[in-house]
Amino acid sequence: MLPVQLTRLLDGGPAGLDEALELVTGLDEALVTGLARLSEERAAALTALADAFALTPLGEALAEATAGITSGLVTEESLTTLAGGRAALLGAVHDALLADLDEALGRERDTWQAAPAPAPATESGNLLGAARSWLCELAITGWRGVDHGLVSAADQVIEALLAVPEHRRPAVLLDGLAAELRASCPVGTMERLPVRRWADLWTRALLLTGAGGRTGEPAQTDPARELRELSGRLLILGVDVHEHSTAVQAQVHGVLEPSDGGQARLVRATVAAAKVDTISGPAVWKLLHRHPVLLGALAGRRGLEITGMPVLASGDLLWDDGRARAGEPADPFAVARLRLGGVLAPAVPPLDRHPVGIAEPVLVEDYKVTAEGSFDLGDAVLAVDTGLLPACGPLTPKMVAASSACVGLVRWDDGRWLLQPLAVQTKVKRDTLGAHTGDWALGPTDPKVVKAEARTGDAVTILRERAGRLLRR
């Protein structure tokens, strides 16, 4: 059962939450119509944002930036400062929410070490400058003014950035933003816009391509991004599967018991692969075939013994199947009951401090499921999001509604806390049955699903065979 403090947490948020989000909304709405033609209301919103930072190190720079923008002088420097203020404000919201959650869970969190100044720009710095120019043009024009011509202006820059390994991170982000805008063109005819999402992507892209953005892979000389190696027993709690038309990603959440006897810590391991639309459902697991040890642990509900696995300060393991071997059976619910109470949570990287990024593993028990599908904890009601349940696993909304225990991720979205299930237990007569999102990692076990796949054929095998024929020609 959830700690009593968490049930109290569901009743409200930290002080100043609504006011901070209102300031962010003011900037986001200004980006809809563009910063080149600000109304009095939008100009006042930017000024209010700057005023909120008056007593902070960003105060003077943000005041100068907003004063210039509201007077019609929109520069790359002023927009970068504005993006920094927005990110700092959402970072403060994230920190306040996460601090409340950690206190409610009784969870200790590691601290983030300040990073040294970034290295001087490389020869490809001109590419980053071109990317920033395009982002500035988006802000000046506004989302409502985006057309195919403006989106296409970024194609050459994105292609060039993708070819430079140290700039792959901002390149992929820019590519995704451009793809969304292109699919929405002409944006001016859209009834509703994803205002917050596009502003988030614009902010992150501008900071990543800016002089202070960390665009490359973690550097060994950067103590905040330094790769360490961990050895010990990895006990899996569950897997969060993200599937899109062109990619699939499996993010495994677990507890690592270090071999040196140190404090157990929460870690994540992420593996991904490219895909096409025709590959969906349980077949997507076959795309991750290069990680058989990890998939076997998911399907068999086993622990893993890892040796010298690289890990970032963010708690993300850089997964290498060659450094892991199958361990003893480890039921995720037993792991959650015995180990979640005293784990050390990882620090959150500065650019990842955003409310939508909160995803903390928890165990919920002894609840009643309401007619709306929420969990009634007695003193409070916890919303449950079954919309993110992957089609590649056996876990369904019906199973969640019939469950008596759940391992999931606590998230904050749309102004409230909610739970994303990763595994559930259901009592059937005297037996307790479990279903996990990773149960089908080595193939479906439901006879009906197996028969359905046999009738439609194996999409992955068929596509590989066709690709092989083309290559042989």
Side-chain angles (χ1 to χ4, degrees):
M1 187 172 182
L2 282 175
V4 175
Q5 295 90 335
L6 188 53
T7 62
R8 297 172 184 166
L9 182 71
L10 300 177
D11 294 333
L17 174 65
D18 294 337
E19 293 81 358
L21 293 177
E22 186 177 348
L23 292 173
V24 174
T25 300
L27 170 56
D28 294 354
E29 292 295 339
L31 289 173
V32 173
T33 54
L35 301 181
R37 45 186 180 275
L38 288 174
S39 64
E40 291 185 7
E41 180 183 1
R42 300 303 177 215
L46 296 189
T47 301
L49 175 65
D51 290 344
F53 285 87
L55 301 179
T56 72
L58 267 179
E60 184 178 352
L62 200 51
E64 292 179 359
T66 53
I69 292 172
T70 54
S71 63
L73 180 61
V74 184
T75 65
E76 180 183 305
E77 182 180 359
S78 64
L79 290 179
T80 303
T81 303
L82 195 63
R86 184 183 184 277
L89 196 54
L90 284 170
V93 171
H94 166 277
D95 291 351
L97 289 167
L98 192 58
D100 283 357
L101 183 60
D102 284 342
E103 182 181 0
L105 295 173
R107 186 164 292 173
E108 182 184 354
R109 187 166 299 275
D110 206 353
T111 56
W112 186 264
Q113 301 296 323
T122 63
E123 295 180 358
S124 55
N126 290 335
L127 292 177
L128 296 178
R132 290 194 297 274
S133 296
W134 180 70
L135 291 167
C136 292
E137 189 63 30
L138 286 179
I140 294 171
T141 305
W143 304 126
R144 286 294 183 190
V146 172
D147 55 19
H148 285 289
L150 180 53
V151 176
S152 299
D155 291 347
Q156 187 174 357
V157 176
I158 293 173
E159 183 179 357
L161 283 172
L162 286 170
V164 182
E166 61 264 29
H167 296 321
R168 192 69 52 80
R169 186 183 181 195
V172 170
L173 177 58
L174 289 167
D175 191 32
L177 175 58
E180 288 193 22
L181 293 175
R182 181 177 288 108
S184 303
C185 281
V187 179
T189 62
M190 293 179 63
E191 183 177 350
R192 296 181 61 186
L193 303 183
V195 177
R196 178 60 57 82
R197 173 174 172 78
W198 284 355
D200 283 341
L201 294 175
W202 175 83
T203 299
R204 191 176 181 89
L206 196 54
L207 294 178
L208 280 175
T209 56
R214 296 197 171 277
T215 60
E217 292 298 320
Q220 295 290 345
T221 57
D222 182 349
R225 286 290 193 176
E226 184 178 357
L227 293 179
R228 297 183 295 114
E229 292 187 351
L230 287 180
S231 299
R233 183 169 65 155
L234 176 60
L235 304 173
I236 295 174
L237 293 166
V239 56
D240 182 16
V241 182
H242 304 160
E243 182 181 347
H244 302 282
S245 59
T246 59
V248 60
Q249 173 183 276
Q251 187 175 70
V252 179
H253 292 260
V255 176
L256 180 71
E257 297 178 337
S259 56
D260 60 7
Q263 184 178 6
R265 58 179 62 229
L266 286 175
V267 294
R268 294 181 298 261
T270 302
V271 293
K275 65 182 286 293
V276 294
D277 277 335
T278 53
I279 301 176
S280 60
V284 300
W285 290 112
K286 296 181 180 180
L287 301 175
L288 303 174
H289 62 93
R290 291 185 175 85
H291 313 284
V293 177
L294 184 61
L295 298 185
L298 290 172
R301 302 181 190 174
R302 308 181 74 89
L304 290 166
E305 298 293 335
I306 64 173
T307 304
M309 188 74 73
V311 63
L312 300 176
S314 60
D316 291 288
L317 300 172
L318 302 186
W319 190 257
D320 180 355
D321 231 48
R323 305 190 187 204
R325 60 181 178 84
E328 298 295 325
D331 177 66
F333 284 90
V335 173
R337 292 185 183 104
L338 295 174
R339 304 301 288 161
L340 270 184
V343 294
L344 176 66
V348 182
L351 282 183
D352 292 343
R353 286 174 173 156
H354 190 294
V356 77
I358 297 175
E360 291 294 308
V362 297
L363 169 66
V364 189
E365 297 181 288
D366 302 330
Y367 51 80
K368 294 181 180 179
V369 182
T370 67
E372 295 77 22
S374 301
F375 290 170
D376 186 346
L377 308 174
D379 296 332
V381 176
L382 177 61
V384 178
D385 184 3
T386 57
L388 296 177
L389 292 178
C392 60
L395 193 55
T396 64
K398 186 176 180 180
M399 291 181 179
V400 176
S403 66
S404 57
C406 177
V407 171
L409 300 175
V410 171
R411 295 186 178 276
W412 193 88
D413 187 37
D414 197 22
R416 61 173 181 170
W417 293 104
L418 53 81
L419 182 70
Q420 177 192 342
L422 299 180
V424 297
Q425 281 186 339
T426 305
K427 294 180 181 178
V428 180
K429 296 182 179 180
R430 295 184 178 180
D431 297 328
T432 300
L433 304 179
H436 305 252
T437 51
D439 281 347
W440 292 353
L442 294 181
T445 55
D446 187 331
K448 294 181 181 179
V449 178
V450 174
K451 289 182 180 179
E453 280 200 330
R455 287 195 301 269
T456 58
D458 186 341
V460 176
T461 302
I462 293 172
L463 289 173
R464 283 176 179 163
E465 181 181 348
R466 290 176 180 175
R469 290 176 185 174
L470 291 173
L471 290 173
R472 286 194 295 271
R473 292 178 184 177

